[in-house]
């Protein structure tokens, strides 16, 4: 039951929530904004350098290169140092991706 709830939360935050953010904050370009935020899932390619590549009990944050605290700092700085809308949407998408992965870590602690 807890695992199912975690999965629903995870995929809702990865897929549907960015769409909601796009509709609320980027109303005129919501499709583009949603697409860019969905594209931030490409940072999960850094799992390919981990061994094993996929481990459902592993917390990504702070472990994988593109999920490291340094990377998260860069995603944060992108928002403030680049004034273009596309980069800011990318920054929001990346930070929201990290938030989604982080809440997964909290679910894992809950299920131990
Ligand atoms: Zn991730």
């Amino acid at each position: 039951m807890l695992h199912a709830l975690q999965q629903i939360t995870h995929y809702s935050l990865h897929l549907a929530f960015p769409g909601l953010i796009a509709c609320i904050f980027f109303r005129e370009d919501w499709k583009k904004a949603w697409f860019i935020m969905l594209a931030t899932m490409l940072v999960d390619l850094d799992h390919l350098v981990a061994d094993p590549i996929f481990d459902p009990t592993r917390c990504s944050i702070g472990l994988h290169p593109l999920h490291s605290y340094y990377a998260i700092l860069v995603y944060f700085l992108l928002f403030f140092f680049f004034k273009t809308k596309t980069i800011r949407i990318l920054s929001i998408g990346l930070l929201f991706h990290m938030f989604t992965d982080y809440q997964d870590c909290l679910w894992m602690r809950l299920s131990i």
Side-chain angles (χ1 to χ4, degrees):
M1 177 65 186
L2 199 62
H3 182 70
L5 204 57
Q6 177 190 1
Q7 291 296 307
I8 291 168
T9 306
H10 180 87
Y11 288 106
S12 297
L13 289 174
H14 264 324
L15 302 172
F17 234 75
L20 191 66
I21 292 171
C23 286
I24 293 171
F25 296 105
F26 304 99
R27 189 177 298 255
E28 69 285 353
D29 276 338
W30 73 270
K31 285 181 189 168
K32 177 185 169 191
W34 193 6
F35 177 77
I36 292 169
M37 284 191 261
L38 289 179
T40 65
M41 279 195 269
L42 289 171
V43 294
D44 283 339
L45 288 173
D46 67 357
H47 292 40
L48 295 175
V49 297
D51 186 27
I53 290 173
F54 180 72
D55 179 356
T57 62
R58 183 174 59 202
C59 180
S60 302
I61 302 299
L63 182 76
H64 303 298
L66 296 175
H67 291 68
S68 68
Y69 295 108
Y70 295 114
I72 293 170
L73 178 67
V74 170
Y75 305 152
F76 189 75
L77 293 174
L78 281 176
F79 186 85
F80 292 101
F81 288 101
F82 289 87
K83 303 293 182 199
T84 61
K85 190 193 277 184
T86 303
I87 297 293
R88 285 190 159 173
I89 292 168
L90 186 68
S91 168
I92 292 167
L94 287 164
L95 290 171
F96 199 75
H97 180 109
M98 297 303 135
F99 168 76
T100 301
D101 285 1
Y102 178 71
Q103 64 81 38
D104 261 357
C105 302
L106 298 178
W107 279 100
M108 282 179 227
R109 282 194 204 154
L110 206 64
S111 61
I112 290 173

